[in-house]
Amino acid sequence: MEGKQFQQIWCVDFEFGQSSNLTPEARCMVAREYYSGQLQRLWLDGVAKLACPLPIGENSLYVAYYDSAEMGCHLALGWDLPHSLLDLFCEFRCQTNGLKLPVKNNLLGALSLHGLEHISLTEKEEMRELALRGGPYSSAEQVALLDYCQTDVDALVALLPEMVNKISIDHALIRGRYMKAVARIEYVGIPVDMPLLERLRANWEYLQDDLITSVDEDFGVYEGRTFKIDLFARYLNLHQIAWPRLPSGNLDLQDKTFRMMAKGYPQLSPLRELRHSLGKMRLNEFKVGADGRNRTLLSPFQSKTGRNQPSNSKFIFGSSVWLRGLIKPPAGWGVAYVDWSQQEFGIAAALSKDQAMKQAYASGDPYLEFAKIAGGVPTDATKRSHPEQRALFKATVLAVQYGMGRESLGDRIQQPVIVAKDLLRKHREAFRIFWRWSDGNVDYALLHNNLWTVFGWNLQVSGQINPRSLANFLMQANGAEMLRIACILMTEAGIRVCAPVHDAVLIEAPLEELDERVRQSQELMSEASRQVLGDFELTTDAEIYHYPDRYRDEERGGPFWDKVMSLLEEKC
């Protein structure tokens, strides 16, 4: 672990339960100083709040495993967060990302992979249940939880030297800063209209039949509550929509396919929302605390690209899009959804150093600019004058970013494969330097079995290899880096970030501060793009909602939300 040296290294673990607001309730803490072996055991449940007993300044390193949990306990206890944080979970994920492991990514898995002793899974689960149960705790139970907590701390002391030689401390400390940001974001939560959510929960079963009838008026694909494939095939044929098919020849009815097709055919969005709501949405699984805040684990670094992977059923931005209408700021507050404009395109332009691509991004409409470069529209064309041609070239850009081939692109744009092939050829001709860079990355990955981002998030290439996924990795993974840097900068600046969402953040502020917080957020997101892309700055957009208004995704979820609300008022 080359780089910054620390006078003390503290390995720390908390045991905790959960409050009615879904925030951590600390039961106990154990910490051991790595060099001296000094041990601290502290019982915290049911006692007056204590000051943090650990040195957390810049000369000390705080080590934990999945330490957004520990940071959540710090916040609940009113303790400051440590200056320097090393999360061995993040580093274990970074060191093994892309490999098929015989173990999970938890502490027991990391210990097993390094040949270190650990307690049994059964014992660990029993102790976690005891911590979650809540007090009062007997003296024996307190000792049992402290002893169990110490086993995790001693495990960290043993694991650290096994991993340390592969850790880039500068990159690791950035990931540690992000875990602090995650804890702050999870602690804030997303404001939800609880009275309306309770009405939906109470009446959802009764609403479903009427909702099917209302939505299906435009499609005619349901019989009762059953989605009929033959009727859907007839609808597709009537409207001349070429739908992707499985190798068997049957229509591909996966939700991700519906989601992709709804982007190309917005009229399908209500049907996709209906199918998802009936099939996968479970309103009672949706996690909202007593204070009306949606809180769940953001699950950082869980995907290969390093993006968060929160539970779709528990996270409002992972569920059906229309459900986001439940996001509503409290009285006197507002929320803002701030996102980067064409983030993946800008990342590709900057990292590849393709000047034509950079200029296309700088134009403000890279899709139309691509069409002009390729000769698909006149040089004076606008979004309004040539909407259909722009849509084709936009679909081509997105196809490249998503790693789609000509067949998938042809399905998406409802054109023969030869047309899709020609559009992809035009992209290669327009952005030759980008393609040289992209193909070179794939070649390097196949030769060296490795790719990494600007801040060291690593992908080991193994098993069945998909060259298109490799080509897409650096755009997606560096996009994840950018979001992490933005969340770090924003939370450290005191901005109340409610949620990170792929290439965007949701923030909140009192109404008198909202405009300034939005301006500050956009400035910091621009700074994050410069840190990742070497002074190439991405632009941002902001959608602002003042109480009593609620968040609304007009294009994808708005019409379905209106149908649900209309039926709720009419029937309930």
Side-chain angles (χ1 to χ4, degrees):
M1 186 168 63
E2 297 181 356
K4 183 174 176 59
Q5 299 299 309
F6 297 94
Q7 294 176 3
Q8 293 185 325
I9 298 177
W10 284 91
C11 296
V12 187
D13 187 58
F14 281 80
E15 296 310 317
F16 56 93
Q18 194 173 69
S19 73
S20 61
N21 289 336
L22 309 181
T23 54
E25 283 186 338
R27 307 292 185 226
C28 63
M29 183 203 77
V30 175
R32 188 184 293 278
E33 204 282 310
Y34 181 77
Y35 296 123
S36 67
Q38 178 186 350
L39 181 68
Q40 295 205 36
R41 289 163 56 106
L42 196 63
W43 183 257
L44 297 165
D45 186 75
V47 300
K49 286 189 176 181
L50 304 172
C52 179
L54 303 176
I56 55 174
E58 61 182 16
N59 293 322
S60 295
L61 179 65
Y62 189 113
V63 180
Y65 201 94
Y66 207 94
D67 57 21
S68 57
E70 276 62 43
M71 296 302 97
C73 289
H74 272 248
L75 293 172
L77 292 165
W79 294 359
D80 290 338
L81 303 190
H83 180 275
S84 300
L85 186 62
L86 174 63
D87 189 332
L88 293 186
F89 161 76
C90 300
E91 301 317 301
F92 182 68
R93 280 287 298 117
C94 188
Q95 292 178 13
T96 61
N97 187 36
L99 299 178
K100 189 172 183 179
L101 300 179
V103 296
K104 294 183 178 180
N105 292 315
N106 55 24
L107 178 57
L108 296 187
L111 293 168
S112 295
L113 198 67
H114 288 89
L116 299 173
E117 294 183 359
H118 54 78
I119 65 172
S120 69
L121 178 60
T122 300
E123 183 180 355
K124 194 171 187 68
E125 289 177 344
E126 288 175 352
M127 289 295 101
R128 283 299 301 136
E129 288 176 4
L130 179 60
L132 290 170
R133 186 203 73 190
Y137 290 97
S138 67
S139 297
E141 288 173 330
Q142 292 182 24
V143 171
L145 277 173
L146 282 163
D147 287 346
Y148 161 63
C149 192
Q150 185 175 330
T151 64
D152 279 356
V153 169
D154 291 339
L156 288 172
V157 172
L159 183 60
L160 180 59
E162 296 293 325
M163 295 181 61
V164 71
N165 289 334
K166 294 182 179 179
I167 293 175
S168 166
I169 189 60
D170 290 336
H171 291 153
L173 291 177
I174 292 173
R175 288 187 278 271
R177 286 173 70 191
Y178 180 62
M179 295 302 275
K180 290 190 286 184
V182 166
R184 290 184 171 112
I185 294 168
E186 290 178 348
Y187 205 80
V188 169
I190 303 168
V192 168
D193 186 339
M194 275 298 289
L196 183 54
L197 175 59
E198 291 302 329
R199 284 184 67 198
L200 280 172
R201 283 173 169 167
N203 295 286
W204 183 243
E205 182 65 27
Y206 310 110
L207 285 174
Q208 291 184 44
D209 289 331
D210 290 323
L211 196 53
I212 290 171
T213 300
S214 177
V215 173
D216 200 40
E217 287 179 353
D218 297 326
F219 300 99
V221 297
Y222 274 86
E223 288 184 359
R225 290 194 178 185
T226 303
F227 178 85
K228 304 297 290 185
I229 298 175
D230 58 332
L231 295 179
F232 183 54
R234 187 173 69 181
Y235 171 86
L236 295 174
N237 184 58
L238 179 64
H239 293 272
Q240 297 183 331
I241 298 175
W243 194 268
R245 292 181 178 270
L246 300 170
S248 64
N250 295 328
L251 294 173
D252 184 351
L253 300 178
Q254 298 178 85
D255 184 62
K256 65 179 182 181
T257 304
F258 261 91
R259 184 169 61 248
M260 179 190 75
M261 294 300 289
K263 290 179 180 178
Y265 296 90
Q267 68 268 28
L268 292 171
S269 291
L271 182 60
R272 186 261 164 177
E273 290 293 305
L274 177 64
R275 280 174 50 84
H276 187 272
S277 298
L278 297 178
K280 294 186 177 181
M281 191 184 74
R282 301 289 184 270
L283 285 174
N284 288 329
E285 293 181 11
F286 185 53
K287 295 294 184 180
V288 181
D291 61 351
R293 298 266 165 169
N294 172 220
R295 293 186 179 92
T296 190
L297 292 176
L298 292 177
S299 299
F301 298 103
Q302 292 287 6
S303 74
K304 285 186 178 180
T305 60
R307 291 196 185 276
N308 305 325
Q309 283 191 334
S311 166
N312 285 339
S313 63
K314 298 176 182 178
F315 184 53
I316 197 166
F317 282 100
S319 190
S320 295
V321 177
W322 70 270
L323 204 61
R324 299 175 191 179
L326 286 169
I327 299 173
K328 184 177 180 179
W333 287 65
V335 297
Y337 186 84
V338 190
D339 67 329
W340 283 287
S341 303
Q342 292 92 31
Q343 186 196 47
E344 285 91 351
F345 189 95
I347 290 171
L351 294 182
S352 68
K353 298 180 172 59
D354 188 312
Q355 289 301 318
M357 214 170 191
K358 285 184 175 182
Q359 290 171 11
Y361 184 85
S363 73
D365 190 341
Y367 313 127
L368 187 63
E369 190 66 19
F370 167 37
K372 292 178 181 179
I373 294 172
V377 297
T379 56
D380 60 350
T382 65
K383 184 177 180 179
R384 179 173 295 181
S385 67
H386 291 76
E388 294 180 359
Q389 293 91 332
R390 179 184 179 276
L392 283 177
F393 284 88
K394 176 181 178 179
T396 305
V397 169
L398 296 178
V400 171
Q401 292 172 184
Y402 297 151
M404 294 168 60
R406 57 193 181 189
E407 291 82 7
S408 298
L409 175 58
D411 286 341
R412 183 164 186 169
I413 62 177
Q414 303 298 294
Q415 295 289 335
V417 171
I418 191 171
V419 174
K421 181 180 178 181
D422 186 57
L423 285 167
L424 291 171
R425 177 187 61 79
K426 288 179 177 178
H427 192 283
R428 279 188 171 271
E429 291 178 351
F431 306 121
R432 294 177 184 273
I433 295 174
F434 160 76
W435 277 104
R436 192 180 308 137
W437 170 81
S438 179
D439 292 342
N441 288 330
V442 173
D443 291 343
Y444 182 93
L446 294 174
L447 182 62
H448 297 281
N449 300 318
N450 189 242
L451 280 176
W452 61 91
T453 66
V454 294
F455 291 124
W457 180 252
N458 183 61
L459 174 69
Q460 297 195 49
V461 180
S462 65
Q464 190 171 359
I465 297 171
N466 183 339
R468 291 175 186 164
S469 295
L470 293 178
N472 193 36
F473 173 78
L474 289 179
M475 287 180 281
Q476 295 298 326
N478 280 297
E481 294 278 25
M482 193 181 298
L483 183 62
R484 288 195 287 272
I485 297 298
C487 288
I488 289 169
L489 297 176
M490 293 166 72
T491 55
E492 290 180 354
I495 295 171
R496 289 177 62 88
V497 180
C498 301
V501 192
H502 191 74
D503 61 354
V505 291
L506 182 75
I507 69 166
E508 68 173 3
L511 290 176
E512 63 272 15
E513 300 176 12
L514 186 58
D515 288 344
E516 173 59 22
R517 286 304 195 183
V518 170
R519 184 203 63 77
Q520 188 180 12
S521 296
Q522 291 186 282
E523 184 178 286
L524 292 174
M525 289 174 73
S526 295
E527 169 61 22
S529 70
R530 291 193 296 271
Q531 289 192 23
V532 173
L533 302 179
D535 293 333
F536 186 78
E537 183 176 303
L538 301 190
T539 58
T540 57
D541 299 308
E543 298 174 14
I544 302 174
Y545 305 88
H546 302 83
Y547 178 86
D549 294 338
R550 62 181 70 248
Y551 178 91
R552 183 178 176 90
D553 189 319
E554 182 61 47
E555 182 177 347
R556 296 186 296 163
F560 194 84
W561 170 269
D562 291 339
K563 286 182 182 292
V564 174
M565 292 300 103
S566 176
L567 287 171
L568 189 64
E569 291 300 319
E570 178 184 339
K571 303 289 184 179
C572 308

